[in-house]
Amino acid sequence: MYAIIGGSGLANLNELDRRRREVVRTPYGDPSCALTFGTIEGVDLVFLARHGYGHTIAPHEINYRANLWALREVGASQVLAVATVGGIRADLGPGALVIPDQIIDYTSARKGSFFEGPDEPVTHIDFTHPYSEEVRAGFAAAARSIGETVALGATYGCTQGPRLETAAEIRRMQRDGCDLVGMTGMPEAALARELELPYGALAVVANHAAGIGESSQAISLDAIGVVMNLAMERVRRILAACLRASAASAVDAPVGSAPAASPSASAGKTESP
Ligand code: HPA
């Protein structure tokens, strides 16, 4: 079953044929909201609003561990995350849709691992390629199938928030090789990998990052709303196309055939000796 994590501007999926909501408790506390189950294009999915249904939870206060744990607990096998970002790279202006392939983590003091505590062995995961190639390819094919342009490949820099960045911080991130800046990509992606859940993100550029282009003096929060409303309609269509493709491939697959292994699902976990 697919899981969709909706971020700012995507607290509800209108095209979801809702069946039920379920409150899931986890050993790590409560997820951001009750999980919503339903179908899109006849395909089962579970939806979680990262900031809560009323957008009440700030990026640094999200219980990422509970969110990912709950999704795995209810049977999610793949996570499609939608994330709002600022654009750093020149060609990634407001309204651009991007499928990132790398992450730099600038956050601090977030609970970023399931492997902690006296009873847990020290465990390391491979995170060379933080996003699942299978999920990324699914997003790209879905966008192509409906004629939507998406940028393939970008480095997502995750900041702590909730404040936006200074111009100097963005210049530093640019020197580091970041193309996008957001506040929620980590530890979400790493926790998904710890649970061996294939995870990919579709990033929606809401604004030029601080100090860049029309944000050279300030980031206009009013302008963001307009951009996001238009962009989220395109995101919804891409998500629906993802699910349509998965329904079609389920029909095409020979009975009993195994789903393609994803790089992240096969990524080894390493326990320290
Ligand atoms: N910085 C961090 N996160 C964001 C931004 C930004 O400029 N825009 C949307 N999310």
Side-chain angles (χ1 to χ4, degrees):
M1 177 173 57
Y2 281 97
I4 294 178
I5 301 181
S8 300
L10 197 72
N12 283 292
L13 272 183
N14 302 336
E15 34 293 280
L16 185 66
D17 185 4
R18 278 182 195 75
R19 297 283 151 81
R20 66 192 169 90
R21 279 206 173 157
E22 185 178 330
V23 175
V24 180
R25 311 242 178 259
T26 83
Y28 304 95
D30 293 339
S32 298
C33 55
L35 305 184
T36 304
F37 293 82
T39 59
I40 291 183
E41 304 280 340
V43 179
D44 284 332
L45 70 88
V46 55
F47 177 78
L48 179 142
R50 189 186 282 118
H51 299 278
Y53 290 117
H55 203 283
T56 50
I57 310 172
H60 63 299
E61 291 175 327
I62 291 168
N63 188 337
Y64 295 93
R65 292 196 300 184
N67 285 352
L68 271 298
W69 189 269
L71 292 175
R72 209 265 313 251
E73 196 68 11
V74 300
S77 53
Q78 190 168 115
V79 180
L80 313 183
V82 179
T84 304
V85 296
I88 298 177
R89 206 169 80 200
D91 60 318
L92 302 179
L97 303 183
V98 191
I99 304 171
D101 62 346
Q102 278 297 331
I103 299 177
I104 299 179
D105 188 1
Y106 298 92
T107 65
S108 54
R110 296 185 180 186
K111 293 275 188 195
S113 177
F114 294 107
F115 301 120
E116 63 174 37
D119 300 330
E120 277 292 335
V122 176
T123 306
H124 305 287
I125 52 159
D126 172 60
F127 204 44
T128 310
H129 297 287
Y131 296 105
S132 153
E133 275 311 316
E134 184 189 351
V135 179
R136 294 186 66 244
F139 274 138
R144 216 169 25 245
S145 75
I146 57 167
E148 277 295 348
T149 303
V150 289
L152 297 177
T155 297
Y156 175 117
C158 189
T159 56
Q160 174 69 0
R163 66 165 177 83
L164 293 161
E165 300 71 34
T166 66
E169 284 169 336
I170 292 297
R171 283 198 298 274
R172 178 178 78 143
M173 292 178 76
Q174 207 164 23
R175 287 194 297 275
D176 285 353
C178 294
D179 303 305
L180 304 169
V181 54
M183 298 177 190
T184 57
M186 285 294 284
E188 197 171 87
L191 292 167
R193 179 61 56 85
E194 285 193 352
L195 295 177
E196 300 186 4
L197 274 174
Y199 172 98
L202 183 57
V204 185
V205 179
N207 55 281
H208 285 291
I212 293 183
E214 62 204 33
S215 303
S216 61
Q217 293 310 313
I219 294 178
S220 160
L221 297 175
D222 293 341
I224 287 181
V226 180
V227 172
M228 292 304 292
N229 286 344
L230 291 171
M232 282 304 167
E233 284 311 310
R234 296 162 56 213
V235 167
R236 291 168 191 281
R237 287 200 291 274
I238 292 174
L239 291 172
C242 279
L243 297 176
R244 210 159 37 239
S246 116
S249 69
V251 169
D252 290 345
V255 175
S257 68
S262 81
S264 54
S266 59
K269 278 189 291 194
T270 313
E271 279 189 18
S272 288

